[in-house]
Amino acid sequence: MRLALVLNREVQESKRNLLIYSLTIFLVLLFQEMLAAFLTRMARGDIGDSAYLANFPGFLFLGGFIVTSVFFSDDMFSRIGQHNWLTLPASPLEKFLAKALLTSVAYPLALVALFTLSSVVIELLALLVFGSPFSMFNPFTIPIGQMILHYLATQSIFLLGATYFRKAHFIKTVLALGLLGVLMGIVATIFVRILFAPYISGMFGFNFTFDDRILYQYEGLLTVAEWIGRIVYWFMLPAFCWVTSYLRVKEVQATDAIQ
Amino acid sequence: MIRMKDIRFQYGKKPLFAGLDLEIPKGNIYGLLGMNGAGKTTLLKLFSGQLFPLEGTARVLGYDPVRRSPDMLCDLFHLPEEFLLPRMRADEYLKINAPFYPRFDHEALHRYCNEFGLDLTQKLNELSFGQKKKFLLSFGLASNTSLLILDEPTNGLDIPSKSQFRRTVASAMTEDRTFIISTHQVRDMENLIDPIIIIHEGKVVFHNDMESVSERLVMNLEHMEPHANEVLYSEKVPGGWMTIRERKDDETETQVDLETLFNAVITHSQAFADAMKGGRS
């Protein structure tokens, strides 16, 4: 199957960078856990939570967004680099899916595996050196599952940014999100101003207390709004970003390349 | 093999091709010549779907190149003038890229690499530019694709490698394969490329095989400056004047000097189009 060939090619070509990235994560975890084990032994008490849970969201979200942002860069926008990818005998959909699946699905799964394996090694070391209790990273918890689901939804925005912007993909995506946030805030303010018009006087005179009575009055509307929000966040946003990113990949050509 | 009709293409506001027509039947080593900035690389990128024409129709191997269909791409290999190779050994590169080409011949690849003196266990990023080019050329030839597009393939090659390049390309040529070699180093390609396609000012101004050129034109080195009305073209060269005239029936055929022919066509496109009437142009 050609998609498998494209996936293999992507992994093999990124292998070196992925190994460096994995090693960095391992060393960060090792340093923090060993330091915590050492301080715990010195203080003869417990020093905070494990480094695994504290670091996982950072590496999952921030790390994943940055990896996603740069993953298309050379193949789509490098003047010399894009030739191999554009002329690779695979369809634009296969080329897009290979990168999108690696950054959205494979990345969190590989990160979970890396955290779990690292924790086994580090905990064993901590046990042998400092006699610390063995408390490895548990990937089978609801918060970890929820984080991965949220990553799948939000990562799609960075996928779009990676294919849409020709350089500084991550920064531009964050700036675009900030701008979008401001615009949505303005729209929401206008919406609230209209919806709660009887309780507002003048431009800034908010003359009401947001009690249960008001909530009860608008319960139906708020439930609908919540469901719309859920559908947009979990389905429409990722679908829009994936489809738009694919179309961008399909249409990319040599004139999109930068020096 | 390739059919382009009324192609329009431009970078920014400056038009490069306005109504370019070109038809390339299969089975030859075509030489694509043109001045710097004439659009040789752009044309090759239009063939392989890396650029999209603004107007006009293009068919390459029976496919619309804009779609970049895998069926077209697995039967086409494009060696660009500048390229990037991943940080891995040559054999690792083969393992991940060769499966995309259904007729890839590993034995032939080893033979070509051997001819070029390449070691497949070496890391690609440790090779010189010329060695990388020879590796990619070997890969392209071994892919057994019907269409091979080579953009300035002898740039960066040393003198022995240029001769080896000509021998290897000639040996890899079959009836079913078509090579398009873009170059401005015509001396490197003499006796290899035939027919010749020359693009100038956004159009194909010359598209003829060498046989029809030597049938219709004679090229001579003359010691005296010829009168302008006696020749189609003349240029001062060391040792005299290189001239091109229309060949008379009783005149013996002369060898075609590609560099002179190119200069002549660029400066007198219409005169040569008229002189070659009955040919393809």
Side-chain angles (χ1 to χ4, degrees), chain A residues 218-232:
Chain A
Y218 292 102
E219 194 184 15
L221 191 66
L222 288 171
T223 310
V224 170
E226 190 189 341
W227 272 102
I228 290 172
R230 280 176 194 270
I231 291 167
V232 167

Side-chain angles (χ1 to χ4, degrees), chain A residues 9 79 83-84 252-254, chain B residues 50 52 68 78 84 97:
Chain A
R9 186 179 176 276
R79 192 174 62 83
H83 173 90
N84 290 347
V252 73
Q253 53 174 321
Chain B
Q50 294 180 70
F52 305 156
R68 290 197 284 257
H78 184 161
L84 207 63
N97 286 292

Side-chain angles (χ1 to χ4, degrees), chain B residues 131-151:
Chain B
Q131 286 175 313
K132 284 179 188 169
K133 196 161 234 184
K134 287 187 272 189
F135 171 71
L136 275 182
L137 180 70
S138 305
F139 183 92
L141 293 173
S143 67
N144 269 321
T145 54
S146 305
L147 178 61
L148 264 112
I149 298 170
L150 311 178
D151 192 0

Side-chain angles (χ1 to χ4, degrees), chain A residues 7-248:
Chain A
L7 278 164
N8 179 45
R9 186 179 176 276
E10 290 286 353
V11 172
Q12 295 300 326
E13 288 197 349
S14 316
K15 202 166 56 181
R16 196 170 172 275
N17 290 337
L18 290 173
L19 277 173
I20 293 170
Y21 184 57
S22 304
L23 190 65
T24 308
I25 293 176
F26 176 78
L27 291 175
V28 167
L29 295 176
L30 178 72
F31 175 74
Q32 290 186 5
E33 275 298 311
M34 292 311 235
L35 187 68
F38 173 74
L39 292 175
T40 301
R41 188 173 174 157
M42 290 293 109
R44 295 174 201 282
D46 192 14
I47 306 281
D49 291 333
S50 81
Y52 313 119
L53 278 177
N55 282 297
F56 186 76
F59 281 113
L60 177 68
F61 289 100
L62 189 62
F65 294 160
I66 293 172
V67 167
T68 304
S69 297
V70 297
F71 212 58
F72 286 80
S73 191
D74 275 351
D75 288 334
M76 279 183 78
F77 305 112
S78 156
R79 192 174 62 83
I80 302 174
Q82 68 166 192
H83 173 90
N84 290 347
W85 198 62
L86 291 182
T87 57
L88 182 75
S91 68
L93 181 64
E94 288 162 336
K95 290 173 193 174
F96 166 72
L97 277 180
K99 284 186 185 290
L101 289 173
L102 283 174
T103 51
S104 63
V105 181
Y107 177 80
L109 296 180
L111 192 71
V112 163
L114 177 69
F115 263 69
T116 311
L117 287 173
S118 300
S119 72
V120 171
V121 174
I122 293 166
E123 289 304 311
L124 267 176
L125 274 174
L127 179 67
L128 290 172
V129 178
F130 300 107
S132 304
F134 190 91
S135 58
M136 63 175 275
F137 173 74
N138 181 10
F140 304 107
T141 61
I142 292 170
I144 297 291
Q146 281 174 336
M147 271 190 249
I148 291 173
L149 286 177
H150 281 287
Y151 173 77
L152 282 172
T154 49
Q155 183 264 355
S156 63
I157 301 168
F158 288 84
L159 195 68
L160 178 60
T163 56
Y164 186 80
F165 298 117
R166 296 201 285 178
K167 56 181 176 179
H169 317 275
F170 178 70
I171 300 290
K172 283 182 179 172
T173 309
V174 172
L175 286 174
L177 274 176
L179 195 67
L180 192 69
V182 170
L183 286 173
M184 283 171 73
I186 293 169
V187 171
T189 307
I190 294 168
F191 183 72
V192 167
R193 178 68 180 81
I194 295 165
L195 193 69
F196 297 98
Y199 305 96
I200 297 167
S201 58
M203 191 66 186
F204 302 105
F206 290 84
N207 182 25
F208 73 98
T209 44
F210 207 80
D211 59 24
D212 288 349
R213 198 163 41 83
I214 297 168
L215 275 181
Y216 181 75
Q217 194 180 342
Y218 292 102
E219 194 184 15
L221 191 66
L222 288 171
T223 310
V224 170
E226 190 189 341
W227 272 102
I228 290 172
R230 280 176 194 270
I231 291 167
V232 167
Y233 178 75
W234 290 110
F235 301 103
M236 287 174 68
L237 175 75
F240 169 78
C241 291
W242 276 59
V243 171
T244 315
S245 306
Y246 163 63
L247 292 175
R248 181 82 180 104

Side-chain angles (χ1 to χ4, degrees), chain B residues 209-221:
Chain B
D209 55 47
M210 299 300 248
E211 198 184 340
S212 55
V213 174
S214 40
E215 263 174 25
R216 289 173 175 81
L217 305 172
V218 278
M219 295 191 186
N220 286 310
L221 180 67

Side-chain angles (χ1 to χ4, degrees), chain B residues 6-7 28 30 39 46 52 58 76 80 88 94 107 133 141 155 159 174 179 198 211 219 237-238 245 249 278:
Chain B
D6 210 13
I7 295 295
N28 283 306
Y30 290 85
L46 286 167
F52 305 156
L76 174 161
M88 56 173 65
L94 288 179
E107 251 177 54
K133 196 161 234 184
L141 293 173
N155 268 8
I159 295 165
T174 64
F179 287 69
I198 299 176
E211 198 184 340
M219 295 191 186
V237 293
R245 301 167 198 266
D249 290 341

Side-chain angles (χ1 to χ4, degrees), chain A residues 86 90 92 249-250 252, chain B residues 49-50 52 64-70 73:
Chain A
L86 291 182
V249 165
K250 202 177 158 191
V252 73
Chain B
Q50 294 180 70
F52 305 156
D64 178 359
V66 169
R67 291 182 178 274
R68 290 197 284 257
S69 129
L73 293 172

